[in-house]
Amino acid sequence: MLSEKMQDALNGQLNKEMYSAYLYLAMSAYSTYIGLKGFANWFMVQYQEEMMHAMKIYDYINDQGGQVKLMAIEQPLTEFESPMDMFEKTLEHEKFITKSINELVDLAIAEKDHATNIFLQWFVTEQIEEESNDKDIIARLKLIGKDGNGLLMLDKELAARVFTPPATAEGI
Ligand code: OFO
């Protein structure tokens, strides 16, 4: 059973996850446009992950007898300055998502909603990995600098990323 406040907050997070998916799909499209197919693949996998995050929340609200309320998804950027610009914006966005998840946990604790608190722990852990992956790639892009060969090597590596669907519908 979800309180109305918790339900609204989870619907808000569902919308943020859908926006995350949309943002990374925009980055995937831009990467393809500038000829970086490996980056395009990395962001496409990220898009799939974000859709999975959104659907985890969608399923959870339903499982708790709440009401899913879909809202308008903000338009993402369509132009980026460089691969570094995309990853800096990705990290910045993930920090915003981490803050949002932390606020949801605070609310679940304040409301003594143990089920939602436990549900959110998956996202708390996931955010550590998301931010760490982005920091890693930013560090490598810094090392690469203006070296085109280095960029192409990283592009080749990012082409290998695959989306692993969760083992259960809820992904737990
Ligand atoms: Fe990128 O973790 Fe969801 O939003």
PDB file of all heavy atoms in Angstrom, residues 7-29:
ATOM      1  N   GLN A   7       3.254   7.569  -3.844  1.00  0.00           N
ATOM      2  CA  GLN A   7       2.843   7.233  -5.216  1.00  0.00           C
ATOM      3  C   GLN A   7       3.212   8.373  -6.179  1.00  0.00           C
ATOM      4  O   GLN A   7       3.761   8.122  -7.258  1.00  0.00           O
ATOM      5  CB  GLN A   7       1.332   6.985  -5.258  1.00  0.00           C
ATOM      6  CG  GLN A   7       0.827   6.717  -6.672  1.00  0.00           C
ATOM      7  CD  GLN A   7      -0.674   6.511  -6.713  1.00  0.00           C
ATOM      8  OE1 GLN A   7      -1.178   5.507  -6.242  1.00  0.00           O
ATOM      9  NE2 GLN A   7      -1.397   7.460  -7.302  1.00  0.00           N
ATOM     10  N   ASP A   8       2.939   9.613  -5.762  1.00  0.00           N
ATOM     11  CA  ASP A   8       3.267  10.762  -6.621  1.00  0.00           C
ATOM     12  C   ASP A   8       4.777  10.839  -6.847  1.00  0.00           C
ATOM     13  O   ASP A   8       5.234  11.108  -7.962  1.00  0.00           O
ATOM     14  CB  ASP A   8       2.794  12.076  -5.979  1.00  0.00           C
ATOM     15  CG  ASP A   8       1.281  12.216  -6.065  1.00  0.00           C
ATOM     16  OD1 ASP A   8       0.643  11.411  -6.770  1.00  0.00           O
ATOM     17  OD2 ASP A   8       0.737  13.130  -5.401  1.00  0.00           O
ATOM     18  N   ALA A   9       5.535  10.612  -5.777  1.00  0.00           N
ATOM     19  CA  ALA A   9       6.997  10.693  -5.892  1.00  0.00           C
ATOM     20  C   ALA A   9       7.529   9.589  -6.814  1.00  0.00           C
ATOM     21  O   ALA A   9       8.437   9.821  -7.621  1.00  0.00           O
ATOM     22  CB  ALA A   9       7.636  10.594  -4.508  1.00  0.00           C
ATOM     23  N   LEU A  10       6.938   8.395  -6.712  1.00  0.00           N
ATOM     24  CA  LEU A  10       7.384   7.287  -7.587  1.00  0.00           C
ATOM     25  C   LEU A  10       6.987   7.575  -9.038  1.00  0.00           C
ATOM     26  O   LEU A  10       7.756   7.294  -9.963  1.00  0.00           O
ATOM     27  CB  LEU A  10       6.783   5.957  -7.116  1.00  0.00           C
ATOM     28  CG  LEU A  10       7.418   5.385  -5.845  1.00  0.00           C
ATOM     29  CD1 LEU A  10       6.565   4.238  -5.294  1.00  0.00           C
ATOM     30  CD2 LEU A  10       8.846   4.880  -6.089  1.00  0.00           C
ATOM     31  N   ASN A  11       5.813   8.143  -9.247  1.00  0.00           N
ATOM     32  CA  ASN A  11       5.427   8.520 -10.618  1.00  0.00           C
ATOM     33  C   ASN A  11       6.373   9.582 -11.167  1.00  0.00           C
ATOM     34  O   ASN A  11       6.720   9.574 -12.353  1.00  0.00           O
ATOM     35  CB  ASN A  11       3.976   9.013 -10.648  1.00  0.00           C
ATOM     36  CG  ASN A  11       2.998   7.858 -10.819  1.00  0.00           C
ATOM     37  OD1 ASN A  11       3.139   7.026 -11.718  1.00  0.00           O
ATOM     38  ND2 ASN A  11       2.002   7.784  -9.949  1.00  0.00           N
ATOM     39  N   GLY A  12       6.816  10.487 -10.289  1.00  0.00           N
ATOM     40  CA  GLY A  12       7.794  11.503 -10.703  1.00  0.00           C
ATOM     41  C   GLY A  12       9.104  10.849 -11.113  1.00  0.00           C
ATOM     42  O   GLY A  12       9.730  11.223 -12.111  1.00  0.00           O
ATOM     43  N   GLN A  13       9.528   9.837 -10.347  1.00  0.00           N
ATOM     44  CA  GLN A  13      10.777   9.134 -10.677  1.00  0.00           C
ATOM     45  C   GLN A  13      10.622   8.344 -11.980  1.00  0.00           C
ATOM     46  O   GLN A  13      11.556   8.292 -12.793  1.00  0.00           O
ATOM     47  CB  GLN A  13      11.197   8.205  -9.526  1.00  0.00           C
ATOM     48  CG  GLN A  13      12.591   7.619  -9.696  1.00  0.00           C
ATOM     49  CD  GLN A  13      13.687   8.674  -9.684  1.00  0.00           C
ATOM     50  OE1 GLN A  13      13.574   9.668  -8.987  1.00  0.00           O
ATOM     51  NE2 GLN A  13      14.731   8.474 -10.470  1.00  0.00           N
ATOM     52  N   LEU A  14       9.464   7.754 -12.171  1.00  0.00           N
ATOM     53  CA  LEU A  14       9.186   7.030 -13.427  1.00  0.00           C
ATOM     54  C   LEU A  14       9.386   7.989 -14.600  1.00  0.00           C
ATOM     55  O   LEU A  14      10.025   7.642 -15.611  1.00  0.00           O
ATOM     56  CB  LEU A  14       7.753   6.476 -13.374  1.00  0.00           C
ATOM     57  CG  LEU A  14       7.124   5.899 -14.637  1.00  0.00           C
ATOM     58  CD1 LEU A  14       7.978   4.832 -15.273  1.00  0.00           C
ATOM     59  CD2 LEU A  14       5.751   5.305 -14.304  1.00  0.00           C
ATOM     60  N   ASN A  15       8.895   9.205 -14.473  1.00  0.00           N
ATOM     61  CA  ASN A  15       9.045  10.195 -15.536  1.00  0.00           C
ATOM     62  C   ASN A  15      10.525  10.552 -15.745  1.00  0.00           C
ATOM     63  O   ASN A  15      10.996  10.682 -16.880  1.00  0.00           O
ATOM     64  CB  ASN A  15       8.231  11.450 -15.186  1.00  0.00           C
ATOM     65  CG  ASN A  15       8.314  12.484 -16.288  1.00  0.00           C
ATOM     66  OD1 ASN A  15       9.131  13.393 -16.244  1.00  0.00           O
ATOM     67  ND2 ASN A  15       7.478  12.346 -17.304  1.00  0.00           N
ATOM     68  N   LYS A  16      11.271  10.668 -14.634  1.00  0.00           N
ATOM     69  CA  LYS A  16      12.703  11.005 -14.758  1.00  0.00           C
ATOM     70  C   LYS A  16      13.461   9.883 -15.463  1.00  0.00           C
ATOM     71  O   LYS A  16      14.396  10.122 -16.225  1.00  0.00           O
ATOM     72  CB  LYS A  16      13.318  11.252 -13.374  1.00  0.00           C
ATOM     73  CG  LYS A  16      12.893  12.591 -12.788  1.00  0.00           C
ATOM     74  CD  LYS A  16      13.526  12.803 -11.412  1.00  0.00           C
ATOM     75  CE  LYS A  16      12.964  14.063 -10.771  1.00  0.00           C
ATOM     76  NZ  LYS A  16      12.551  13.882  -9.392  1.00  0.00           N
ATOM     77  N   GLU A  17      13.079   8.623 -15.179  1.00  0.00           N
ATOM     78  CA  GLU A  17      13.753   7.494 -15.836  1.00  0.00           C
ATOM     79  C   GLU A  17      13.423   7.481 -17.329  1.00  0.00           C
ATOM     80  O   GLU A  17      14.271   7.163 -18.164  1.00  0.00           O
ATOM     81  CB  GLU A  17      13.359   6.166 -15.190  1.00  0.00           C
ATOM     82  CG  GLU A  17      13.710   6.048 -13.707  1.00  0.00           C
ATOM     83  CD  GLU A  17      15.190   6.029 -13.402  1.00  0.00           C
ATOM     84  OE1 GLU A  17      15.998   5.749 -14.299  1.00  0.00           O
ATOM     85  OE2 GLU A  17      15.566   6.313 -12.242  1.00  0.00           O
ATOM     86  N   MET A  18      12.180   7.826 -17.667  1.00  0.00           N
ATOM     87  CA  MET A  18      11.803   7.893 -19.084  1.00  0.00           C
ATOM     88  C   MET A  18      12.599   9.014 -19.768  1.00  0.00           C
ATOM     89  O   MET A  18      13.053   8.856 -20.899  1.00  0.00           O
ATOM     90  CB  MET A  18      10.297   8.167 -19.242  1.00  0.00           C
ATOM     91  CG  MET A  18       9.388   7.065 -18.741  1.00  0.00           C
ATOM     92  SD  MET A  18       9.478   5.512 -19.655  1.00  0.00           S
ATOM     93  CE  MET A  18       8.609   5.938 -21.143  1.00  0.00           C
ATOM     94  N   TYR A  19      12.773  10.124 -19.058  1.00  0.00           N
ATOM     95  CA  TYR A  19      13.577  11.219 -19.629  1.00  0.00           C
ATOM     96  C   TYR A  19      15.032  10.760 -19.811  1.00  0.00           C
ATOM     97  O   TYR A  19      15.664  11.072 -20.836  1.00  0.00           O
ATOM     98  CB  TYR A  19      13.528  12.482 -18.753  1.00  0.00           C
ATOM     99  CG  TYR A  19      14.500  13.521 -19.263  1.00  0.00           C
ATOM    100  CD1 TYR A  19      14.208  14.279 -20.400  1.00  0.00           C
ATOM    101  CD2 TYR A  19      15.740  13.691 -18.651  1.00  0.00           C
ATOM    102  CE1 TYR A  19      15.122  15.187 -20.910  1.00  0.00           C
ATOM    103  CE2 TYR A  19      16.663  14.601 -19.160  1.00  0.00           C
ATOM    104  CZ  TYR A  19      16.357  15.341 -20.282  1.00  0.00           C
ATOM    105  OH  TYR A  19      17.267  16.223 -20.792  1.00  0.00           O
ATOM    106  N   SER A  20      15.550  10.026 -18.815  1.00  0.00           N
ATOM    107  CA  SER A  20      16.930   9.521 -18.935  1.00  0.00           C
ATOM    108  C   SER A  20      17.060   8.683 -20.208  1.00  0.00           C
ATOM    109  O   SER A  20      18.028   8.831 -20.965  1.00  0.00           O
ATOM    110  CB  SER A  20      17.305   8.635 -17.733  1.00  0.00           C
ATOM    111  OG  SER A  20      17.160   9.323 -16.519  1.00  0.00           O
ATOM    112  N   ALA A  21      16.074   7.808 -20.421  1.00  0.00           N
ATOM    113  CA  ALA A  21      16.092   6.956 -21.621  1.00  0.00           C
ATOM    114  C   ALA A  21      16.110   7.830 -22.875  1.00  0.00           C
ATOM    115  O   ALA A  21      16.908   7.612 -23.806  1.00  0.00           O
ATOM    116  CB  ALA A  21      14.868   6.041 -21.633  1.00  0.00           C
ATOM    117  N   TYR A  22      15.274   8.837 -22.882  1.00  0.00           N
ATOM    118  CA  TYR A  22      15.145   9.732 -24.037  1.00  0.00           C
ATOM    119  C   TYR A  22      16.448  10.500 -24.284  1.00  0.00           C
ATOM    120  O   TYR A  22      16.894  10.663 -25.422  1.00  0.00           O
ATOM    121  CB  TYR A  22      14.005  10.695 -23.711  1.00  0.00           C
ATOM    122  CG  TYR A  22      13.098  11.059 -24.861  1.00  0.00           C
ATOM    123  CD1 TYR A  22      12.876  10.197 -25.933  1.00  0.00           C
ATOM    124  CD2 TYR A  22      12.434  12.282 -24.862  1.00  0.00           C
ATOM    125  CE1 TYR A  22      12.030  10.558 -26.973  1.00  0.00           C
ATOM    126  CE2 TYR A  22      11.591  12.646 -25.900  1.00  0.00           C
ATOM    127  CZ  TYR A  22      11.403  11.784 -26.950  1.00  0.00           C
ATOM    128  OH  TYR A  22      10.572  12.155 -27.968  1.00  0.00           O
ATOM    129  N   LEU A  23      17.073  10.960 -23.177  1.00  0.00           N
ATOM    130  CA  LEU A  23      18.333  11.696 -23.280  1.00  0.00           C
ATOM    131  C   LEU A  23      19.423  10.820 -23.905  1.00  0.00           C
ATOM    132  O   LEU A  23      20.160  11.241 -24.795  1.00  0.00           O
ATOM    133  CB  LEU A  23      18.769  12.168 -21.875  1.00  0.00           C
ATOM    134  CG  LEU A  23      20.113  12.864 -21.767  1.00  0.00           C
ATOM    135  CD1 LEU A  23      20.120  14.195 -22.536  1.00  0.00           C
ATOM    136  CD2 LEU A  23      20.479  13.121 -20.297  1.00  0.00           C
ATOM    137  N   TYR A  24      19.518   9.562 -23.430  1.00  0.00           N
ATOM    138  CA  TYR A  24      20.578   8.692 -23.953  1.00  0.00           C
ATOM    139  C   TYR A  24      20.271   8.216 -25.372  1.00  0.00           C
ATOM    140  O   TYR A  24      21.189   7.972 -26.149  1.00  0.00           O
ATOM    141  CB  TYR A  24      20.834   7.524 -22.983  1.00  0.00           C
ATOM    142  CG  TYR A  24      21.269   8.048 -21.624  1.00  0.00           C
ATOM    143  CD1 TYR A  24      20.784   7.511 -20.437  1.00  0.00           C
ATOM    144  CD2 TYR A  24      22.140   9.123 -21.538  1.00  0.00           C
ATOM    145  CE1 TYR A  24      21.156   8.038 -19.199  1.00  0.00           C
ATOM    146  CE2 TYR A  24      22.518   9.656 -20.314  1.00  0.00           C
ATOM    147  CZ  TYR A  24      22.025   9.111 -19.145  1.00  0.00           C
ATOM    148  OH  TYR A  24      22.395   9.645 -17.932  1.00  0.00           O
ATOM    149  N   LEU A  25      18.987   8.143 -25.712  1.00  0.00           N
ATOM    150  CA  LEU A  25      18.635   7.822 -27.102  1.00  0.00           C
ATOM    151  C   LEU A  25      19.070   8.982 -28.003  1.00  0.00           C
ATOM    152  O   LEU A  25      19.580   8.760 -29.103  1.00  0.00           O
ATOM    153  CB  LEU A  25      17.121   7.567 -27.211  1.00  0.00           C
ATOM    154  CG  LEU A  25      16.620   7.046 -28.562  1.00  0.00           C
ATOM    155  CD1 LEU A  25      17.260   5.710 -28.930  1.00  0.00           C
ATOM    156  CD2 LEU A  25      15.092   6.912 -28.553  1.00  0.00           C
ATOM    157  N   ALA A  26      18.910  10.214 -27.507  1.00  0.00           N
ATOM    158  CA  ALA A  26      19.348  11.394 -28.274  1.00  0.00           C
ATOM    159  C   ALA A  26      20.870  11.369 -28.449  1.00  0.00           C
ATOM    160  O   ALA A  26      21.390  11.695 -29.517  1.00  0.00           O
ATOM    161  CB  ALA A  26      18.922  12.676 -27.560  1.00  0.00           C
ATOM    162  N   MET A  27      21.584  10.948 -27.403  1.00  0.00           N
ATOM    163  CA  MET A  27      23.048  10.882 -27.498  1.00  0.00           C
ATOM    164  C   MET A  27      23.468   9.753 -28.446  1.00  0.00           C
ATOM    165  O   MET A  27      24.462   9.885 -29.173  1.00  0.00           O
ATOM    166  CB  MET A  27      23.657  10.685 -26.110  1.00  0.00           C
ATOM    167  CG  MET A  27      23.515  11.919 -25.233  1.00  0.00           C
ATOM    168  SD  MET A  27      24.292  11.690 -23.606  1.00  0.00           S
ATOM    169  CE  MET A  27      23.975  13.288 -22.845  1.00  0.00           C
ATOM    170  N   SER A  28      22.702   8.663 -28.445  1.00  0.00           N
ATOM    171  CA  SER A  28      22.999   7.566 -29.367  1.00  0.00           C
ATOM    172  C   SER A  28      22.817   8.040 -30.809  1.00  0.00           C
ATOM    173  O   SER A  28      23.668   7.794 -31.678  1.00  0.00           O
ATOM    174  CB  SER A  28      22.080   6.363 -29.077  1.00  0.00           C
ATOM    175  OG  SER A  28      22.385   5.312 -29.946  1.00  0.00           O
ATOM    176  N   ALA A  29      21.727   8.745 -31.042  1.00  0.00           N
ATOM    177  CA  ALA A  29      21.451   9.258 -32.394  1.00  0.00           C
ATOM    178  C   ALA A  29      22.568  10.212 -32.831  1.00  0.00           C
ATOM    179  O   ALA A  29      23.068  10.128 -33.965  1.00  0.00           O
ATOM    180  CB  ALA A  29      20.109   9.982 -32.407  1.00  0.00           C
TER     181      ALA A  29
END
